[in-house]
Coordinates of all heavy atoms in Angstrom, one line a residue:
P87 N 0.8 -1.2 0.0 CA 0.0 0.0 0.0 C 0.9 1.3 0.0 O 0.5 2.3 -0.6 CB -0.8 -0.1 1.3 CG -0.8 -1.6 1.6 CD 0.5 -2.1 1.1
E88 N 2.0 1.2 0.7 CA 2.9 2.4 0.8 C 3.5 2.7 -0.6 O 3.9 3.8 -0.9 CB 3.9 2.2 1.9 CG 3.4 2.2 3.3 CD 2.9 0.8 3.7 OE1 2.8 -0.1 2.9 OE2 2.5 0.7 4.9
A89 N 3.7 1.6 -1.4 CA 4.3 1.8 -2.7 C 3.4 2.3 -3.7 O 3.8 2.9 -4.7 CB 4.8 0.4 -3.2
L90 N 2.1 2.2 -3.5 CA 1.1 2.6 -4.5 C 1.3 4.1 -4.9 O 1.3 4.4 -6.1 CB -0.3 2.4 -4.0 CG -1.4 2.7 -5.0 CD1 -1.3 1.9 -6.2 CD2 -2.8 2.5 -4.3
P91 N 1.3 5.1 -4.0 CA 1.5 6.5 -4.5 C 2.8 6.7 -5.2 O 2.9 7.6 -6.1 CB 1.4 7.3 -3.2 CG 1.7 6.4 -2.1 CD 1.2 5.0 -2.5
V92 N 3.8 5.9 -4.8 CA 5.1 6.1 -5.5 C 5.0 5.6 -7.0 O 5.5 6.3 -7.9 CB 6.2 5.3 -4.7 CG1 7.6 5.5 -5.4 CG2 6.2 5.7 -3.3
V93 N 4.4 4.5 -7.1 CA 4.2 3.9 -8.5 C 3.3 4.9 -9.3 O 3.5 5.1 -10.5 CB 3.5 2.5 -8.4 CG1 3.1 2.0 -9.8 CG2 4.6 1.5 -7.8
E94 N 2.2 5.4 -8.7 CA 1.3 6.3 -9.4 C 2.0 7.5 -9.8 O 1.8 8.0 -10.9 CB 0.1 6.7 -8.4 CG -0.9 5.6 -8.2 CD -2.0 6.0 -7.2 OE1 -1.7 6.7 -6.3 OE2 -3.1 5.5 -7.4
N95 N 3.0 8.0 -9.0 CA 3.7 9.2 -9.4 C 4.6 8.9 -10.6 O 4.7 9.8 -11.5 CB 4.6 9.7 -8.2 CG 5.4 10.9 -8.5 OD1 4.9 12.0 -8.6 ND2 6.7 10.7 -8.8
H96 N 5.2 7.8 -10.6 CA 6.1 7.4 -11.7 C 5.3 7.3 -13.0 O 5.7 7.9 -14.1 CB 6.8 6.1 -11.5 CG 7.8 5.8 -12.6 ND1 9.1 6.2 -12.6 CD2 7.6 5.1 -13.7 CE1 9.7 5.8 -13.7 NE2 8.8 5.1 -14.4
V97 N 4.2 6.6 -12.9 CA 3.3 6.5 -14.1 C 2.9 7.9 -14.6 O 3.0 8.2 -15.8 CB 2.1 5.6 -13.8 CG1 1.2 5.6 -15.0 CG2 2.6 4.2 -13.6
K98 N 2.4 8.7 -13.7 CA 1.9 10.0 -14.1 C 3.0 10.9 -14.7 O 2.8 11.6 -15.7 CB 1.4 10.7 -12.8 CG 0.5 11.9 -13.1 CD 0.0 12.6 -11.8 CE -0.9 11.6 -11.1 NZ -1.5 12.2 -9.9
A99 N 4.2 10.8 -14.1 CA 5.3 11.6 -14.6 C 5.7 11.3 -16.0 O 6.0 12.2 -16.8 CB 6.5 11.5 -13.7
F100 N 5.7 10.0 -16.3 CA 6.1 9.6 -17.6 C 5.0 9.5 -18.7 O 5.2 9.5 -19.8 CB 6.9 8.2 -17.6 CG 8.3 8.4 -17.1 CD1 8.6 8.5 -15.8 CD2 9.3 8.5 -18.0 CE1 9.9 8.7 -15.3 CE2 10.6 8.7 -17.6 CZ 10.9 8.8 -16.3
E101 N 3.8 9.6 -18.2 CA 2.6 9.8 -19.1 C 2.5 11.2 -19.6 O 2.1 11.4 -20.7 CB 1.3 9.5 -18.3 CG 0.9 8.1 -18.2 CD -0.4 7.9 -17.5 OE1 -0.7 8.8 -16.7 OE2 -1.0 6.9 -17.6
R102 N 2.9 12.1 -18.8 CA 2.8 13.6 -19.1 C 3.7 14.0 -20.2 O 3.4 15.0 -20.9 CB 3.0 14.4 -17.9 CG 1.9 14.4 -16.9 CD 2.3 15.2 -15.6 NE 1.2 15.2 -14.7 CZ 1.3 15.6 -13.4 NH1 2.5 16.0 -13.0 NH2 0.3 15.6 -12.6
S103 N 4.8 13.4 -20.4 CA 5.8 13.8 -21.4 C 5.6 13.2 -22.7 O 5.2 12.0 -22.8 CB 7.2 13.5 -20.8 OG 7.5 14.1 -19.6
D104 N 6.0 13.9 -23.8 CA 5.9 13.4 -25.1 C 7.3 12.9 -25.5 O 8.3 13.6 -25.6 CB 5.5 14.6 -26.0 CG 5.5 14.2 -27.5 OD1 5.3 13.0 -27.8 OD2 5.7 15.0 -28.4
Y105 N 7.4 11.5 -25.7 CA 8.7 10.9 -26.0 C 8.4 9.6 -26.7 O 7.3 9.0 -26.7 CB 9.5 10.7 -24.8 CG 8.9 9.8 -23.7 CD1 9.1 8.4 -23.7 CD2 8.0 10.3 -22.8 CE1 8.6 7.6 -22.8 CE2 7.4 9.5 -21.8 CZ 7.7 8.1 -21.8 OH 7.1 7.3 -20.9
D106 N 9.4 9.1 -27.4 CA 9.3 7.8 -28.1 C 9.6 6.6 -27.2 O 8.9 5.6 -27.1 CB 10.3 7.8 -29.3 CG 10.0 8.9 -30.3 OD1 8.9 8.9 -30.8 OD2 10.9 9.7 -30.5
V107 N 10.7 6.7 -26.4 CA 11.1 5.7 -25.5 C 11.7 6.3 -24.2 O 12.1 7.5 -24.3 CB 12.1 4.6 -26.0 CG1 11.5 3.8 -27.2 CG2 13.4 5.4 -26.5
A108 N 11.7 5.6 -23.1 CA 12.4 6.0 -21.9 C 13.6 5.1 -21.6 O 13.5 3.9 -22.0 CB 11.4 6.1 -20.7
V109 N 14.6 5.6 -21.0 CA 15.8 4.8 -20.7 C 16.3 5.1 -19.3 O 16.2 6.2 -18.8 CB 16.9 5.1 -21.7 CG1 17.4 6.5 -21.6 CG2 18.0 4.1 -21.6
A110 N 16.8 4.0 -18.7 CA 17.5 4.2 -17.4 C 18.8 3.4 -17.4 O 18.8 2.3 -17.9 CB 16.5 3.7 -16.3
P111 N 19.8 3.9 -16.7 CA 21.1 3.2 -16.6 C 21.0 2.2 -15.4 O 21.8 2.2 -14.5 CB 22.1 4.3 -16.4 CG 21.3 5.4 -15.6 CD 19.9 5.3 -16.2
S112 N 19.9 1.4 -15.3 CA 19.7 0.5 -14.2 C 18.7 -0.6 -14.6 O 17.6 -0.3 -14.8 CB 19.1 1.3 -13.0 OG 18.6 0.5 -12.0
G113 N 19.2 -1.8 -14.5 CA 18.4 -3.0 -14.8 C 17.4 -3.2 -13.7 O 16.2 -3.6 -14.0
S114 N 17.7 -3.0 -12.5 CA 16.8 -3.2 -11.4 C 15.6 -2.3 -11.4 O 14.4 -2.7 -11.2 CB 17.5 -3.2 -10.0 OG 18.0 -1.9 -9.8
C115 N 15.8 -1.0 -11.7 CA 14.7 0.0 -11.7 C 13.8 -0.3 -12.9 O 12.6 -0.1 -12.8 CB 15.3 1.4 -11.7 SG 16.1 1.8 -10.1
V116 N 14.4 -0.6 -14.0 CA 13.6 -0.9 -15.2 C 12.8 -2.1 -15.0 O 11.6 -2.2 -15.4 CB 14.5 -1.0 -16.5 CG1 13.7 -1.5 -17.7 CG2 15.1 0.4 -16.8
S117 N 13.4 -3.1 -14.4 CA 12.6 -4.3 -14.1 C 11.4 -4.1 -13.2 O 10.4 -4.7 -13.3 CB 13.5 -5.4 -13.5 OG 13.9 -5.2 -12.2
S118 N 11.6 -3.1 -12.2 CA 10.5 -2.7 -11.4 C 9.4 -2.0 -12.2 O 8.2 -2.4 -12.0 CB 11.0 -1.8 -10.3 OG 10.0 -1.4 -9.4
V119 N 9.8 -1.1 -13.0 CA 8.8 -0.4 -13.9 C 8.0 -1.4 -14.8 O 6.8 -1.3 -14.9 CB 9.5 0.7 -14.7 CG1 8.5 1.3 -15.7 CG2 10.0 1.8 -13.8
K120 N 8.7 -2.3 -15.4 CA 8.1 -3.2 -16.4 C 7.3 -4.3 -15.7 O 6.3 -4.8 -16.3 CB 9.2 -3.8 -17.3 CG 9.9 -2.8 -18.2 CD 10.9 -3.4 -19.0 CE 10.4 -3.9 -20.3 NZ 9.9 -2.9 -21.3
H121 N 7.8 -4.8 -14.6 CA 7.1 -6.0 -14.0 C 6.4 -5.7 -12.7 O 5.3 -6.2 -12.5 CB 8.2 -7.1 -13.8 CG 8.9 -7.5 -15.1 ND1 8.2 -8.3 -16.0 CD2 10.1 -7.2 -15.5 CE1 9.0 -8.5 -17.0 NE2 10.2 -7.9 -16.8
Q122 N 7.1 -5.0 -11.8 CA 6.5 -4.8 -10.4 C 5.3 -3.8 -10.5 O 4.3 -4.0 -9.7 CB 7.5 -4.3 -9.4 CG 8.5 -5.4 -9.1 CD 9.5 -4.9 -8.0 OE1 9.8 -3.7 -7.9 NE2 10.0 -5.8 -7.2
H123 N 5.4 -2.8 -11.3 CA 4.3 -1.7 -11.3 C 3.0 -2.3 -11.7 O 2.0 -2.2 -11.0 CB 4.7 -0.6 -12.2 CG 5.7 0.3 -11.6 ND1 6.1 1.6 -12.1 CD2 6.6 0.2 -10.5 CE1 7.0 2.1 -11.4 NE2 7.3 1.3 -10.4
P124 N 2.9 -3.0 -12.8 CA 1.6 -3.7 -13.2 C 1.2 -4.7 -12.1 O 0.0 -4.8 -11.8 CB 1.9 -4.3 -14.5 CG 3.0 -3.6 -15.1 CD 3.9 -3.2 -13.9

């Protein structure tokens, strides 16, 4: 439950921007975004 607003913030932040792809220099954080968030 504590993670929910954090995930919501990330989704909202990257929804608002106009871009083709996003990139991070981190496999662990990208795996969280791709797998843990949904």
